[in-house]
Amino acid sequence: MKLKNIIMIALMPVAMMASCKKELELKDPQGLDPETALSNDANIKKVLQGGYNDLSAGSLYGGDIQLLGDLLGSDGELTWVGTFNNYREIWGKNIITTNSLVSGMWISAYSAINIANNVLANIDKVADADKARVEGEALFIRAAMHFELVRFFAKDYTDGSPATNPGVPVITTPTNSTNDITRPTRNSVAEVYAAVIADLTKAISLLPATNTVYATKAVAGTILSRVYLQKADYAMAAATASDAITAATGKALLPTFMANFNQSANTGEDLFTIQVSDQDGVNGLHTYYSVDIFGGRDGDIEVNDTHLDLYQTGDLRKAFTTNPGVNTSFNTPFYTKYGAFRTTKWKEIYKNPKVARLAELYLTRAEANFRMGTAVGATPLSDVNRVHSGARTGLAELAAITLDDIYLERRRELAFEGFGIHDAKRFKRTIDGLAWNSDELVLPIPFRELNANSSLTQNPGYN
């Protein structure tokens, strides 16, 4: 729900203005002013739905957060062959400050944050029975968006000094009129992470274990484990991932890997997905990864041998179909069309983009435990084998693992789900010949934001 108050001024013909002058205020019949929208329990819950609607935008979890994460971190594994230059800039690490994807992500994320702030500022009006859940969901939305912003628009937490490196503005009060407009500076990376951790920690304490398709304890815990992992706080990453696994009531890895994808309802492994139907929602992953015969564009993203070579012989996550027909039904992870490999994860239209799956939590816990030499919840080897072996992949269990093995397992299991650039930075890997902390791997602050807010500073390399 967008909070708006549209005032229309009707001017009378010039001949009549000498005798009378009228101003007519008309309210948008489908809009509410902030005071009305936030006046009672039912309306505040509808505003909260608007926060989820923003999360599902194509510029956020409806596609671009995942797309930009993998195009920016492709390292030769993907090729952008589409005609849209804004995506080509991301893939080529040659981004201009007016790139529409960059500004779209910034605008949509802060819109969702503003909605969350409106809900939180009026939480006292929510019915007591639902107050904790509503507050927890709003905190989750605000935290998730601040986290996505800081890891795309700022240096990695481990790159230099997070206490002095500029992050993004942390916004915790609503803006509903020109009188509310401020010109915030960029909080430090450390301050943004601290705000995100505080919001998610509180959200976990308030959210229920089950909540249909909305945020739960396990969902907030999954995002929090990502935060701690990227922050290199491995003790908290392992503990939080383990807690989220326990909180994921009724969830388990599916026996067939591809059964996770091209689904219009959450699977038994899904923790949080964007709900898409032929009436509502956006799946930008399908738009750009799929091809015309399945309702996508013309195959904008090709998967290269560099990625396919990561898989072991016999890994069912690498199997492929050759030149599928229009009505061909298949469940292999890859297919060839127009002379190139495509991922099948996002083949079909009107299916849900993934934000969090249980497999990620096992790999997060494995990595964190391995780096510390601990076994919180399980040993790193057992967690990796949960994901790596068995009927879902067709592979035998590993007898031993290294940190590189965990990185490779993430690249295979979570491919095309948005983890590419963030994992590469955490593992300090080069990307297309660039060092993990190169300026080109951080998005620029959008030009329009710098124009509107003189308190903001641009990232290095974009001046």
Side-chain angles (χ1 to χ4, degrees), residues 14 375 395 399:
V14 174
L395 297 174

Side-chain angles (χ1 to χ4, degrees), residues 248-458:
T249 306
K251 297 296 182 179
L253 296 181
L254 298 185
T256 304
F257 173 72
M258 282 308 297
N260 280 295
F261 305 99
N262 299 296
Q263 301 295 333
S264 54
N266 286 2
T267 73
E269 188 176 324
D270 286 333
L271 301 176
F272 190 65
T273 74
I274 298 303
Q275 304 298 301
V276 176
S277 70
D278 58 358
Q279 301 295 316
D280 189 37
V282 176
N283 185 346
L285 299 169
H286 167 267
T287 303
Y288 299 109
Y289 274 113
S290 193
V291 294
D292 53 353
I293 60 173
F294 300 119
R297 281 174 41 83
D298 53 355
D300 292 314
I301 302 175
E302 297 177 351
V303 181
N304 300 325
D305 287 340
T306 305
H307 177 76
L308 296 173
D309 290 345
L310 300 176
Y311 298 86
Q312 293 174 267
T313 300
D315 193 334
L316 297 178
R317 294 172 297 184
K318 183 188 177 180
F320 65 91
T321 299
T322 303
N323 292 325
V326 175
N327 298 314
T328 299
S329 176
F330 60 92
N331 293 309
T332 56
F334 297 98
Y335 63 100
T336 56
K337 190 65 178 173
Y338 307 132
F341 283 97
R342 319 281 175 181
T343 175
T344 314
K345 281 188 173 182
W346 317 116
K347 181 193 73 173
E348 295 185 17
I349 196 170
Y350 306 134
K351 305 302 180 182
N352 296 352
K354 308 294 180 180
V355 178
R357 292 195 290 120
L358 186 61
E360 176 198 345
L361 284 173
Y362 287 122
L363 293 174
T364 293
R365 188 168 69 177
E367 180 185 336
N369 273 324
F370 189 94
R371 289 180 183 273
M372 294 188 302
T374 56
V376 175
T379 65
L381 179 61
S382 65
D383 272 341
V384 169
N385 274 327
R386 286 174 189 267
V387 175
H388 173 84
S389 61
R392 72 191 305 274
T393 63
L395 297 174
E397 288 192 351
L398 298 168
I401 56 171
T402 65
L403 192 59
D404 281 346
D405 292 330
I406 297 173
Y407 179 49
L408 284 173
E409 199 62 38
R410 289 183 66 91
R411 291 168 73 188
R412 293 184 284 241
E413 176 70 25
L414 303 174
F416 324 120
E417 295 180 53
F419 295 90
I421 188 60
H422 313 301
D423 284 0
K425 288 182 177 182
R426 194 173 63 259
F427 280 88
K428 309 296 187 283
R429 301 303 174 99
T430 59
I431 296 293
D432 293 322
L434 297 170
W436 65 275
N437 57 352
S438 293
D439 294 341
E440 294 93 330
L441 301 180
V442 178
L443 298 185
I445 304 300
F447 178 78
R448 70 184 299 279
E449 303 303 323
L450 294 171
N451 255 3
N453 180 5
S454 58
S455 298
L456 291 177
T457 57
Q458 184 56 276

